[in-house]
Amino acid sequence: MQIYVIMKRTFDTEEKVSLVDGRIDEEGVEFVINPYDEYALEEAISLKEKHGGDVTVITVGEEAAEKQLRVALAMGADKAVLIDVEGIEERDPHTTATLIAAYLKDKPFDLILGGHVAIDGGSGQVGPRLAERLNIPQVTTVTKLDVQRNKAVLVRDAEGDEETIETELPLLITAQQGLNEPRYPALSGIMKAKKKPLEVVTIDDLSIDQEEVAAKTERVDIYLPPKKDRGKMLDGEPREQVKTLVSLLKNEAKVI
């Protein structure tokens, strides 16, 4: 099987985010593989171990993302590709999907996997947009995957319920938490990762111009959520508490 994993470099979930001039301050911040993409990567490696083939992980970013690609190689991926976007100041899911589609358009593949959402942007658009550009089926928020020959049976999270889908390959899926438990890179894997191929591709290599990959959305502002006030304790009998609560919701919180 030829399997590709689309991966994003994101902030460590333990990091405390701060803003400088309306942008996230990246100074001294630790970056990791987007946690949902780790589920996709683990599933890809497990499928390779079961069916054979190769796993290639792709990320769109700058040189610093090579660190996360090496981690993916240490986990068990065979190859890594960095689509270098240095020089493109404003990017969005359209940019990412367009670049990955340009890279994959002439390459054979059976499966493309990615996380169903990135923990920073949270749009959940890259996978579906990529599938649309490649004209292949897509199934999102997958919690179980079984591949047999050229068919796949999947279970997906459907807003608190489950939906079972059967479809043919090639296919793009996005992974939801619960699909698997990602492995940690072993020491042997870390040593092997240093010798595995990591290809760097530029926009010029993809024969695509900057206008075609320009962001379709504009960031107007970015800000931290307001601090929450302390909760209020209501005194009196239950009937009095209800009256007070309704009054607060109507006149202070203005939600009714």
Side-chain angles (χ1 to χ4, degrees):
M1 296 184 70
Q2 296 298 321
I3 306 173
Y4 285 87
V5 178
I6 53 177
M7 186 193 82
K8 187 175 184 182
R9 173 180 182 262
T10 60
F11 289 101
D12 190 328
T13 53
E14 299 297 322
E15 289 288 342
K16 183 177 180 181
V17 175
S18 60
L19 301 178
V20 176
D21 297 328
R23 290 185 175 273
I24 296 175
D25 183 12
E26 298 185 3
E27 185 68 28
V29 174
E30 184 67 28
F31 286 85
V32 296
I33 297 173
N34 176 49
Y36 290 100
D37 296 342
E38 285 189 318
Y39 298 122
L41 179 58
E42 173 61 34
E43 196 68 15
I45 296 168
S46 298
L47 287 169
K48 182 193 74 168
E49 293 171 346
K50 183 177 180 180
H51 300 285
D54 290 302
V55 173
T56 302
V57 59
I58 305 176
T59 195
V60 173
E62 298 176 353
E63 184 179 355
E66 290 187 13
K67 179 179 178 181
Q68 285 67 46
L69 288 173
R70 289 294 179 191
V71 173
L73 292 172
M75 289 175 66
D78 300 288
K79 307 169 188 174
V81 178
L82 170 62
I83 301 178
D84 194 334
V85 290
E86 188 174 356
I88 302 180
E89 294 185 3
E90 297 297 332
R91 309 193 301 270
D92 66 0
H94 164 78
T95 307
T96 303
T98 302
L99 289 169
I100 297 175
Y103 178 80
L104 291 175
K105 65 180 180 179
D106 297 324
K107 293 178 173 56
F109 56 83
D110 300 291
L111 272 174
I112 301 174
L113 298 94
H116 88 97
V117 70
I119 60 170
D120 51 6
S123 70
Q125 290 189 36
V126 173
R129 284 175 175 269
L130 177 58
E132 178 69 18
R133 284 188 166 273
L134 295 174
N135 194 30
I136 60 174
Q138 58 168 303
V139 183
T140 58
T141 60
V142 171
T143 57
K144 186 176 181 181
L145 171 63
D146 181 42
V147 176
Q148 297 294 337
R149 295 184 181 179
N150 67 332
K151 290 188 177 182
V153 178
L154 312 97
V155 177
R156 66 181 300 269
D157 181 19
E159 298 184 1
D161 207 340
E162 290 185 343
E163 182 179 13
T164 301
I165 297 173
E166 181 177 330
T167 185
E168 295 183 352
L169 306 182
L171 169 70
L172 182 146
I173 75 165
T174 62
Q176 172 65 294
Q177 185 176 7
L179 177 60
N180 52 53
E181 188 65 36
R183 68 191 71 188
Y184 289 99
L187 179 59
S188 59
I190 295 172
M191 298 304 293
K192 291 178 181 177
K194 297 177 180 180
K195 298 181 180 180
K196 291 181 179 179
L198 195 162
E199 179 185 8
V200 178
V201 178
T202 67
I203 296 178
D204 292 337
D205 295 329
L206 298 175
S207 299
I208 193 169
D209 58 51
Q210 294 212 8
E211 184 176 346
E212 189 174 349
V213 299
K216 298 297 183 181
T217 56
E218 179 184 357
R219 180 186 296 164
V220 177
D221 193 12
I222 183 170
Y223 52 89
L224 296 173
K227 292 183 178 180
K228 293 184 179 180
D229 295 331
R230 295 180 61 184
K232 294 184 178 182
M233 299 293 293
L234 304 180
D235 299 321
E237 297 296 321
R239 185 181 295 273
E240 296 174 352
Q241 291 179 357
V242 171
K243 289 182 179 179
T244 303
L245 177 61
V246 171
S247 177
L248 289 171
L249 292 174
K250 182 177 181 181
N251 300 315
E252 187 172 312
K254 300 185 184 301
V255 295
I256 60 174

